Amino acid sequence: MDFFATSAFWSVISIWFWAVIMPGADMFLIIRTAISQGQKCAYFSTAGIIIGTLVWLIVGFFFIKALSQTSFFEIVQILGGCYLFYMAWQIFLSLKNKHPSIENTEKHMDQNHWKNLSQGILTNLSNPKPPIFVSIILSKLPQTLSLEISIILLILMTLIPAIWFFCVIKIFTIQRFFKIFMHYSKWIDFVVMGIFGLFGISLAIDGISTFWSKA
């Protein structure tokens, strides 16, 4: 267990922490869900994101070499890009409807949580770059890591986004801030729609170009 006191361990954890807190599709999904649907729905979206993160961490830890020899990541990029663009289109359609008030939002907090869970999973899995990123930062670690240490490291790297998104939800649902966010919720939807749309197109184009270059 001396490994956890080494600079290599803290280097990996710090890099992963900053990667997690950087704004991306996951965070904007959480923010939008917290504002438009409430804490409970946002927690389900977070659970989905954590499940997706765990899947990519397992891939990054144990299967990156095998899968990198195939077109797996390119196919995921193309499908993921299409999904994010679909999400952007759904947000665009929702903007045509009357935007929910605070009271309406609270009434819809108990809607289909499985939808929030699946959105979190698919949004996270739509980007296949995390396992590649994980494999890069893990290259800083000794090649002789035991399975037990790898599992502990995997758990820690799963807990970091879980704690971070929990804090994000708490901040964005504080009543004083919540009323401000609700006032600008349509603009927030525009921003999220733009991020999902542009990121989706970028992922799909990148996946297609890489796929054809391998063919």
Side-chain angles (χ1 to χ4, degrees):
M1 291 295 178
D2 291 340
F3 163 74
F4 296 106
T6 64
S7 59
F9 167 75
W10 289 107
S11 175
V12 167
I13 292 298
S14 61
I15 292 172
W16 180 247
F17 171 78
W18 289 111
V20 166
I21 69 172
M22 285 177 61
D26 290 344
M27 182 181 291
F28 284 106
L29 175 67
I30 295 299
I31 292 172
R32 182 176 186 269
T33 303
I35 293 173
S36 62
Q37 299 175 39
Q39 274 193 25
K40 194 171 182 180
C41 291
Y43 288 141
F44 274 85
S45 294
T46 298
I49 289 171
I50 298 308
I51 292 171
T53 300
L54 183 58
V55 169
W56 282 141
L57 283 172
I58 292 172
V59 170
F61 268 79
F62 305 110
F63 302 107
I64 187 70
K65 290 184 180 178
L67 292 176
S68 61
Q69 304 300 317
T70 70
S71 298
F72 173 78
F73 292 115
E74 289 74 30
I75 293 172
V76 172
Q77 268 190 288
I78 296 169
L79 295 177
C82 292
Y83 175 73
L84 287 180
F85 189 79
Y86 165 78
M87 288 280 288
W89 178 250
Q90 292 295 108
I91 295 172
F92 172 74
L93 293 179
S94 72
L95 289 172
K96 293 183 178 181
N97 302 323
K98 183 178 179 181
H99 213 80
S101 63
I102 296 175
E103 292 76 15
N104 289 334
T105 297
E106 292 173 347
K107 289 179 182 178
H108 288 88
M109 284 183 182
D110 292 325
Q111 64 176 301
N112 189 354
H113 297 308
W114 290 110
K115 181 178 180 182
N116 296 114
L117 183 71
S118 63
Q119 281 183 341
I121 294 172
L122 292 173
T123 299
N124 186 269
L125 293 181
S126 66
N127 183 7
K129 293 180 179 179
I132 300 173
F133 176 76
V134 169
S135 68
I136 292 173
I137 64 174
L138 290 183
S139 66
K140 296 179 175 291
L141 298 177
Q143 298 298 313
T144 56
L145 280 183
S146 66
L147 179 61
E148 291 80 4
I149 290 179
S150 295
I151 292 174
I152 292 173
L153 194 58
L154 188 149
I155 292 172
L156 288 174
M157 293 176 73
T158 304
L159 284 174
I160 288 173
I163 295 170
W164 168 246
F165 287 128
F166 176 81
C167 294
V168 169
I169 293 170
K170 284 297 183 182
I171 291 172
F172 277 84
T173 51
I174 293 173
Q175 193 65 21
R176 182 185 301 176
F177 294 146
F178 183 71
K179 291 179 180 179
I180 297 173
F181 295 137
M182 282 299 296
H183 182 72
Y184 295 103
S185 57
K186 182 162 286 190
W187 290 106
I188 292 172
D189 276 356
F190 272 117
V191 172
V192 175
M193 179 182 70
I195 290 171
F196 276 28
L198 292 174
F199 191 46
I201 293 171
S202 174
L203 269 180
I205 292 175
D206 188 36
I208 291 171
S209 61
T210 307
F211 180 83
W212 283 113
S213 66
K214 283 186 175 183

